Amino acid sequence: MDLGVAAVASLLAAGVVFCFAFILSGSHGVPLYLGYTVILGGVGVASYAMGPRDRGGRMIAGGIGVLWLIGSAVLFTARADIVITVHRHTTVAQPVIAGKAKD
């Protein structure tokens, strides 16, 4: 039972962090592997430091650590194939000149 809970919790944490890294990459241009590595590393350290000291807590922290290593390696290896355009919402409107009408 502990193994199933730890697996689901670790996969859920890694999935949420991947979504955060994807949003960070699209909005600020941070490479996907870098955002994933930093955020999930922080989640893993926090899970180990502040989580329960029982077997389940250690299993969740270990699962996050394994997913951190595997996910970071896969995203770093595939970084050339991952292209996310940065969202720029700075459109410049054409100025309107008073007294000039377009025909």
Side-chain angles (χ1 to χ4, degrees):
M1 184 70 172
D2 286 343
L3 183 62
V5 170
V8 169
S10 299
L11 287 171
L12 183 65
V16 169
V17 167
F18 180 77
C19 291
F20 284 154
F22 193 79
I23 292 169
L24 187 64
S25 178
S27 64
H28 296 291
V30 176
L32 188 61
Y33 70 90
L34 185 61
Y36 180 85
T37 301
V38 170
I39 297 171
L40 193 60
V43 169
V45 168
S47 173
Y48 183 74
M50 295 187 289
R53 297 289 184 199
D54 61 349
R55 186 174 103 180
R58 288 191 307 266
M59 288 172 66
I60 291 172
I64 290 173
V66 168
L67 290 173
W68 176 70
L69 288 173
I70 293 171
S72 298
V74 168
L75 289 173
F76 184 77
T77 304
R79 70 186 182 276
D81 298 329
I82 300 171
V83 178
I84 302 170
T85 58
V86 177
H87 303 290
R88 302 280 184 217
H89 297 287
T90 57
T91 58
V92 178
Q94 295 295 324
V96 176
I97 301 173
K100 286 272 200 171
K102 284 191 172 183
D103 291 331

